[in-house]
Amino acid sequence: MGEYSSDAPLLLKTPEVEKKTVAYLVKSTAKRVIKLLIWVVFIAWVSLMFLYPSEFMSHFVTKIWIGATDGTVFGLAGSLFFAFTAPVLILAFLAILYLIISEEDEIQESKAFKRPAFRLWTFPVLVDGPFGVVTAAELIGIFLVVVFVIWACVVYTIHNWNVISTYQETFFFKSCLMLEKAGANLGLIGMFCLSLLFLPISRGSILLRLIDIPFEHATRYHVWLGHLTMVLFTLHGLFYVIAWAMEGRLLEQTFEWRDIGVANLAGVISLTSGILMWVTSLPGVRKWNFELFFYTHQLYVVFVIFFAMHVGDFIYCMGAGGIFLFMLDRFLRFIQSRKTVDIISATSLPCGTVELVLSKPACLRYNALSFIFLQVRELSWLQWHPFSVSSSPLEGKNHLSVLIKVLGEWTDKLKGKVSNNENEPQKLLESQLKLLATASVEGPYGHESPYHLTYKYLVLVAGGIGISPFLAVLSDVMHRLKEGKSCMPKNIFIVWAIKNSDEIPLLSMINMDSIDPIFYDALNLDIQIYVTRQSEPKVEEGKAFGAMNSCVYPISKRSAISVLVGTGDNIWSGIYIIASSIGFMVFLALLDALYINPYGIYAWWYKGLLVVICMLAGVFIFGGLAVALWHLWERRMLASEGKECDTNISNMALHDVAVEHKNSNQEYLVNSTTLRYGCRPDFKEIFESLSENWGAVDVGVLVCGPETLTSTVAKEIRSHSLSRKQNNPVFHFNSHSFDL
C-alpha cells in the first residue's frame, strides 16, 4: 500500500508524517495565539481612544496612569508613550511573528460542502457617493469613526458647559472660554485621528501586510482620515482665533511661543502647512495639477515637526506610533530608490503602450496584482509613477515587466525615447544606450497573499490598460497549473473594454509557449473583448495577436531591484522594525536620564522636538545598522545565484522576453477570445449568464479600470446580491484601481 493509500491503517503513521502533523499543530497553535494577542492589543488601544472623552477614562489617565512612569528613565511622558504609542509597536512586532509563521502557508481548497457566503469586505454597499465604492466593512469603519467624533464632541460640550455655567462671570467671558475649551477638545479629537492617519500611507507597512490590504487600496483610508483630521484641526484653530479676536488679543496670542504649555506660533505654522496640503489634495486641484499636490504634500515634514513643538512631548506621544512606522517605511523607500535597476528591454506598441522589462533578483518576493513605483532619471529626477506588474512571479527568475500607457507628458517622453531607439536597434552607440538603460524602483507592493488564487471562479473586468495586472494573474494561474502548485481558479471569465482594436495585441504579452498545452484543459478560459469605438475590425482577428519587436539593451553587469521594500524578506523586515523601535526607546530613556533631568529642561516645545529627534535617531542609527546587514545579506544571496546567472543574465532575459513575443503560438488565446465591436459590456446580462452557468459558488470579481467602470460593476454586484437566489453565485467585489 502507498503511504497515502485509503486502505492504510489510520494508526500506522511514518515518522515523516508524524513530524509534519506535529509541526502543523504547533504552527497552527502559534498563529492562533498571536492572532488572539493582536486582537487583544488592538481592541485595548482603540477602546482607550474611544473612551478617553468619558469622565471615567479621562480621570483614570490624568489622575492615576499619568504618574506610572514618573521617576523612571521615561519621565512623565512615558506614561502616554506606553498607553498610546507602545500598542502600535507591539502590534507591529506581533505582525512580524505572524507573517514569518504564515510565510509558507499553501492555499487551501474549499471544502466541498461549504456554501457560498457574503463577506463584509467584498460586498459593495455604497457606490455613487463622495467615498466611491464602499464595502460593508468599510462602511462599518466609517460609521464607528463618525460615532466617535460626534460622541466625543457631545461629551466634551456637556462637560464644558457644566463647568463654565458655575462661574460667576459675564456671558461674554463664558462665551470666549467656551470657544477656547471647544477648540482644545477638537484638537485632542484630531490627535486621535492623527494617530491613525499615517498608518495607511506607509507603502510597505507591516500592519497593512498583516491585514492583507495593499497600499493602493489603503490610500483611500488616508484620504478619508486626512479630510476628517484637517477639519478638526482647522476648527481647533478657528475657535481659538475667534475667541482671541473677541478678547482683542489675536496678534499677541498668535505669535506667542511659551515654554510651559502649548507654543501657539508653532501650531500656526503646523496648521498652515496642513491646510496647504489639504487644499492641494482636493480632487479638483489634484487633477488640475498633480505635481502641485505632490510637492506640497512634502510639507508633512514641517507639519509633524512643528506639531510636536506645538503640543510638547507629553501630548505628542499620544500619536507618535503611526508617525514612527511611517518614518520606518520612508527610510527604507529612500534607500531602495537610490539604487538604479537595469532595463533589459523596452517595447513600443502601436496602441501607445510601452513595455519595460526590469532586472530583478530571483529571491524577490511578490504576487500577481502587485505594482511598483518607477522613476527614470533621464526623464525626471523627481517624478515617480505607479504601474501594475504585468508578469507573473513564476514567469521568470530574473525579470519583471510593466506596461505603461502613454497618457501624459512623462509617459510621452518615455515612449519617444523607446521609439527613437527602436528605429535602428542594431546601430545603437554606447552613448545612446545611456538615454534609457536604467531606472529606479520602489516596491513591489501589493497583497501579502495571492487572494486571486483563493477563488475557483474568477471574473476579471478591465478597461484599457487595466488589463495589465490581469495578464499577470492569467500567467500566474497557468504557470501554477503547469508546475503543480496550489491553485484554485479553474474558470476565468475576462471582460475587457477598449476603445480601439490596436490595444488587442496586449494579450500577446503572455508567454504561452512556456506552458505545456496539456494544462489548457484544466482551465476554462473565456475572454470577451468589447471594442467600443469601432463598428468593425481593422484587421483579421487572427492577426490581432501578432508579434512585436523589442529594443534590447545589452547588460554588462546586473543591477536588479532591491528586496528592501514591499513584500520582501519578513525576517529582515522584523529585525529592522524591532531594532529601530528599541533604538527609539533607548534614546528616549538616555535623553531623559542624561539630559532632561540633569539639566532641568522644562520647555514643552523643546522636549517635543527632542522626541522627534529620538525617533529619527532610532530609525537612522539602529535601523540603518539593520539595513546595512540586510544589504550585505542581499548581496550574498545574489552572489549565490551563481556565476552563470550573472554572466548570462542578458541572454537569459532576452530569451525569456524577446523570443516570447516573436515566436509564441497564441492559438489558445485566439480560440478563447470573442470580439464584439461597437458596443459596451452589459454587466447585468453577463452576471445573469454566469449565474446560470456556474450555479451556487463563490466568484471573485476583480476590476481594474476607470471609476465609471468600477462603480458600474460594483452596482451590478450589489443589485445581484440583494436579489440573489439560493442556486446563484455570490460575487465578491475586489477593486485593483487606485488614484494617488
Side-chain angles (χ1 to χ4, degrees):
M1 290 183 294
E3 180 181 342
Y4 301 102
S5 171
S6 59
D7 297 327
L10 295 176
L11 297 180
L12 294 179
K13 295 184 178 180
T14 64
E16 292 183 0
V17 173
E18 289 182 350
K19 288 181 180 179
K20 290 181 180 179
T21 304
V22 172
Y24 173 79
L25 290 176
V26 171
K27 183 177 180 180
S28 178
T29 303
K31 288 176 61 176
R32 289 192 181 96
V33 171
I34 295 173
K35 186 178 291 186
L36 176 62
L37 290 175
I38 289 173
W39 275 109
V40 170
V41 174
F42 175 74
I43 292 174
W45 178 54
V46 173
S47 298
L48 177 60
M49 291 189 293
F50 196 92
L51 298 176
Y52 188 85
S54 67
E55 186 175 352
F56 165 78
M57 186 60 70
S58 180
H59 175 78
F60 173 78
V61 173
T62 57
K63 302 298 182 182
I64 301 176
W65 178 258
I66 206 168
T69 58
D70 190 18
T72 68
V73 292
F74 292 101
L76 281 174
S79 59
L80 292 186
F81 174 87
F82 287 109
F84 293 96
T85 299
V88 180
L89 302 182
I90 293 173
L91 287 173
F93 298 161
L94 293 173
I96 293 165
L97 291 176
Y98 188 86
L99 291 177
I100 291 175
I101 294 175
S102 306
E103 195 170 57
E104 297 180 358
D105 284 357
E106 291 291 334
I107 301 166
Q108 299 296 322
E109 293 277 348
S110 298
K111 295 182 180 179
F113 58 82
K114 183 180 178 181
R115 299 292 298 174
F118 293 102
R119 300 168 190 166
L120 293 177
W121 55 92
T122 59
F123 177 51
V125 178
L126 301 180
V127 176
D128 298 321
F131 298 105
V133 179
V134 178
T135 64
E138 292 170 339
L139 184 62
I140 292 173
I142 294 172
F143 174 76
L144 291 176
V145 171
V146 172
V147 167
F148 164 71
V149 173
I150 295 175
W151 177 76
C153 290
V154 171
V155 169
Y156 282 132
T157 302
I158 294 174
H159 174 74
N160 294 339
W161 177 252
N162 290 337
V163 172
I164 294 176
S165 61
T166 60
Y167 294 170
Q168 301 299 319
E169 299 289 348
T170 63
F171 176 77
F172 178 81
F173 176 83
K174 291 182 180 180
S175 299
C176 294
L177 187 58
M178 190 72 179
L179 283 172
E180 291 186 13
K181 284 188 172 293
N185 297 145
L186 288 169
L188 183 59
I189 300 171
M191 164 65 79
F192 291 135
C193 294
L194 182 67
S195 66
L196 303 173
L197 179 62
F198 284 87
L199 294 177
I201 204 63
S202 300
R203 295 177 183 174
S205 170
I206 197 72
L207 297 182
L208 292 180
R209 292 173 59 191
L210 172 68
I211 57 180
D212 205 16
I213 295 180
F215 163 73
E216 77 273 13
H217 196 78
T219 51
R220 290 155 46 92
Y221 310 144
H222 173 76
V223 171
W224 299 346
L225 285 169
H227 289 315
L228 176 60
T229 303
M230 287 313 305
V231 166
L232 292 170
F233 280 159
T234 302
L235 291 176
H236 159 73
L238 184 61
F239 278 24
Y240 272 107
V241 167
I242 295 174
W244 294 337
M246 291 172 61
E247 295 170 349
R249 55 194 184 106
L250 177 59
L251 291 179
E252 174 190 350
Q253 288 294 322
T254 300
F255 292 97
E256 185 177 33
W257 194 301
R258 65 185 73 166
D259 289 336
I260 303 298
V262 298
N264 292 342
L265 181 57
V268 171
I269 296 173
S270 178
L271 181 59
T272 302
S273 60
I275 291 176
L276 285 174
M277 288 189 291
W278 184 28
V279 171
T280 55
S281 68
L282 297 175
V285 179
R286 191 170 69 248
K287 290 181 179 180
W288 169 65
N289 193 329
F290 181 84
E291 290 189 355
L292 176 64
F293 150 74
F294 177 79
Y295 296 132
T296 306
H297 238 61
Q298 308 313 307
L299 289 173
Y300 73 84
V301 177
V302 177
F303 175 82
V304 169
I305 292 176
F306 280 92
F307 179 79
M309 298 168 71
H310 172 57
V311 299
D313 63 323
F314 195 72
I315 301 176
Y316 180 71
C317 284
M318 299 177 71
I323 297 174
F324 182 69
L325 291 186
F326 175 78
M327 288 182 178
L328 291 172
D329 178 75
R330 192 65 189 88
F331 181 61
L332 269 190
R333 286 164 47 199
F334 174 79
I335 294 176
Q336 188 194 34
S337 64
R338 296 308 92 194
K339 182 179 181 180
T340 56
V341 178
D342 287 325
I343 298 177
I344 299 174
S345 75
T347 306
S348 180
L349 309 181
C351 60
T353 299
V354 173
E355 184 200 36
L356 295 184
V357 182
L358 308 172
S359 175
K360 79 171 185 69
C363 60
L364 182 69
R365 290 180 59 248
Y366 72 96
N367 294 313
L369 294 175
S370 294
F371 70 98
I372 62 173
F373 280 82
L374 187 67
Q375 177 203 56
V376 179
R377 296 177 184 177
E378 289 76 15
L379 302 180
S380 173
W381 275 82
L382 297 176
Q383 294 188 40
W384 289 83
H385 298 269
F387 300 103
S388 297
V389 176
S390 59
S391 59
S392 163
L394 301 177
E395 192 170 329
K397 286 185 177 181
N398 301 106
H399 76 268
L400 174 151
S401 333
V402 293
L403 292 174
I404 301 173
K405 181 73 173 179
V406 177
L407 294 173
E409 181 180 353
W410 186 89
T411 51
D412 187 59
K413 290 181 180 178
L414 177 66
K415 184 177 185 298
K417 295 282 187 182
V418 174
S419 299
N420 291 337
N421 289 340
E422 277 189 327
N423 292 333
E424 295 180 311
Q426 302 300 325
K427 299 180 181 180
L428 288 176
L429 301 176
E430 184 177 351
S431 59
Q432 289 177 304
L433 290 176
K434 296 180 180 179
L435 292 176
L436 187 65
T438 62
S440 297
V441 174
E442 282 187 17
Y445 303 106
H447 284 271
E448 180 66 19
S449 60
Y451 78 95
H452 61 283
L453 299 177
T454 61
Y455 298 101
K456 288 186 178 180
Y457 297 81
L458 279 178
V459 176
L460 310 178
V461 182
I465 195 60
I467 195 66
S468 177
F470 298 153
L471 297 179
V473 169
L474 190 57
S475 177
D476 195 40
V477 170
M478 290 182 171
H479 278 87
R480 283 179 172 273
L481 291 174
K482 174 187 176 182
E483 298 176 16
K485 294 181 178 291
S486 179
C487 180
M488 289 183 63
K490 299 297 187 293
N491 296 270
I492 299 180
F493 187 88
I494 299 178
V495 179
W496 186 22
I498 55 178
K499 295 179 181 179
N500 301 296
S501 58
D502 292 341
E503 299 182 55
I504 297 177
L506 290 177
L507 285 178
S508 65
M509 311 305 284
I510 303 175
N511 182 9
M512 304 298 293
D513 278 353
S514 66
I515 304 169
D516 195 327
I518 194 173
F519 292 98
Y520 296 161
D521 296 333
L523 178 66
N524 296 318
L525 178 64
D526 189 356
I527 303 175
Q528 303 284 339
I529 301 179
Y530 294 81
V531 185
T532 59
R533 295 188 179 180
Q534 287 181 217
S535 57
E536 57 184 17
K538 294 181 180 179
V539 295
E540 295 180 7
E541 292 182 6
K543 295 181 180 180
F545 303 94
M548 293 158 289
N549 294 322
S550 297
C551 175
V552 175
Y553 296 87
I555 301 172
S556 58
K557 185 178 180 181
R558 175 172 57 170
S559 181
I561 298 173
S562 172
V563 299
L564 295 182
V565 187
T567 54
D569 185 271
N570 288 323
I571 295 178
W572 277 109
S573 296
I575 294 173
Y576 168 66
I577 293 173
I578 292 173
S580 300
S581 301
I582 292 175
F584 176 26
M585 291 186 285
V586 167
F587 282 120
L588 276 180
L590 292 177
L591 179 70
D592 201 80
L594 302 179
Y595 182 60
I596 292 179
N597 288 334
Y599 292 93
I601 305 299
Y602 63 89
W604 284 27
W605 67 269
Y606 184 48
K607 291 165 72 174
L609 179 61
L610 291 176
V611 172
V612 176
I613 294 174
C614 287
M615 296 169 70
L616 293 172
V619 175
F620 293 158
I621 298 176
F622 282 71
L625 178 61
V627 170
L629 295 175
W630 189 353
H631 180 64
L632 292 176
W633 171 85
E634 180 186 2
R635 291 180 61 182
R636 184 168 296 182
M637 288 294 295
L638 291 176
S640 67
E641 292 181 10
K643 294 182 179 180
E644 181 179 353
C645 179
D646 288 327
T647 55
N648 298 327
I649 177 65
S650 298
N651 295 333
M652 290 173 60
L654 300 185
H655 176 76
D656 288 342
V657 179
V659 175
E660 70 176 81
H661 297 322
K662 293 182 179 181
N663 303 323
S664 290
N665 185 348
Q666 302 290 342
E667 291 183 4
Y668 178 70
L669 283 180
V670 172
N671 295 334
S672 303
T673 302
T674 302
L675 288 169
R676 304 176 188 274
Y677 291 87
C679 62
R680 299 178 181 275
D682 184 343
F683 289 105
K684 182 178 181 180
E685 179 183 340
I686 290 172
F687 285 122
E688 287 178 354
S689 175
L690 294 178
S691 298
E692 294 177 1
N693 295 333
W694 287 351
V697 294
D698 284 309
V699 179
V701 181
L702 284 62
V703 187
C704 184
E707 291 182 8
T708 53
L709 178 67
T710 303
S711 60
T712 300
V713 174
K715 189 180 299 183
E716 190 56 44
I717 290 177
R718 182 184 62 181
S719 175
H720 181 274
S721 299
L722 294 176
S723 60
R724 175 181 175 269
K725 299 178 181 178
Q726 188 175 3
N727 60 342
N728 284 355
V730 173
F731 293 101
H732 300 276
F733 175 81
N734 299 273
S735 174
H736 191 65
S737 305
F738 67 101
D739 182 21
L740 297 178

